[in-house]
Amino acid sequence: MTTDGRSLGGAVVLKAGEAAGEGATGGKVVITAGVGSNEDAKDGGNGGDVVLSGGAALGLNNMTDAGGDVIVTAGDASASFGGSLVMVSGYSNQTSSGEVTLGTADAGFYGVSGNILVNTGDSSAGESGSISLSTGDAVKGSGGDISLIVGTGNNGDGGDLAMVAGITFDERSLGGSVV
């Protein structure tokens, strides 16, 4: 802890080793929560959580005193593919898999809630990446719903729901369709 003006709190850096040999792979950083290994059927063990949190900002300037970010970035590559970012909920042997929740927090008294941006990168040689939104197949039940809902407001026009198909500059091809 530091109390000096304009100072920074101490950093924690976890960095795996470099591998410089031909065909070598840099070291992994693995952070795994503890196993709840008690197998009692009435109330056995629970797995521990892994919590990554940006630092809280307790300053009172609503323009400059922002909370710390949580940034997760896959590895860059000089020649082959960049690393993938994979987020998958947990599997259950007997009941339901876990949820994946992606959202922004509610706004404070004077603010607006944050945006969620989902996009693929530009492509310099071929098609750009796709975005696929789908629900799973079901056995003994119906397939899951997909809901696109614009939030309600109490001042001004309602928000738009825009769906725009792809444009092509190839004179021999057709633009995409909204089906």
Side-chain angles (χ1 to χ4, degrees), residues 56-163:
L58 302 181
L60 300 179
N61 186 311
N62 65 6
M63 297 300 293
T64 61
D65 295 332
D69 297 329
V70 175
I71 301 171
V72 180
T73 306
D76 296 335
S78 294
S80 188
F81 302 112
S84 298
L85 181 61
V86 180
M87 293 174 48
V88 180
S89 68
Y91 169 81
S92 172
N93 284 325
Q94 297 188 27
T95 59
S96 304
S97 63
E99 294 182 348
V100 175
T101 302
L102 177 65
T104 64
D106 294 341
F109 187 75
Y110 293 108
V112 297
S113 60
N115 297 323
I116 294 178
L117 308 176
V118 179
N119 66 285
T120 64
D122 295 338
S123 174
S124 56
E127 299 170 350
S128 63
S130 299
I131 294 176
S132 177
L133 180 65
S134 61
T135 63
D137 297 333
V139 176
K140 298 183 181 177
S142 59
D145 297 329
I146 295 177
S147 299
L148 301 175
I149 301 171
V150 177
T152 60
N154 65 0
N155 189 9
D157 297 334
D160 296 326
L161 177 62
M163 300 179 70

Side-chain angles (χ1 to χ4, degrees), residues 9-16 29 31:
V12 175
V13 179
L14 298 176
K15 184 176 181 180
V29 175
I31 300 174

